Amino acid sequence: LETGRLVLDVTLDAAALPQGSPLELGLTAVVETLDGTLSYWALRHPSARPDFHLRDAFTLPLVRP
């Protein structure tokens, strides 16, 4: 944790990933601060309001190594 930032590093073993299908990363978060304020995070928000039911909001195609 850095001041004002949250950093996440992930390493995946390529051998453990499913073979044959395209890979996609889905990443979302709802963050609550100490004062109770909520913020909604996703790879992108395709509409005016966050909607985590929209697949386009949280998926990113990945290239196999």
Side-chain angles (χ1 to χ4, degrees):
L1 181 63
E2 298 176 25
T3 302
R5 292 178 52 171
L6 176 63
V7 177
L8 173 67
D9 289 313
V10 177
T11 302
L12 299 174
D13 180 0
L17 298 174
Q19 299 299 312
S21 3
L23 298 175
E24 294 181 317
L25 171 70
L27 184 62
T28 62
V30 178
V31 177
E32 182 176 3
T33 60
L34 293 175
D35 69 2
T37 302
L38 297 176
S39 60
Y40 303 90
W41 295 81
L43 295 172
R44 67 186 194 97
H45 292 293
S47 58
R49 296 183 50 142
D51 185 346
F52 297 126
H53 296 101
L54 295 175
R55 186 172 177 80
D56 290 345
F58 61 87
T59 57
L60 175 71
L62 297 177
V63 177
R64 289 184 185 276

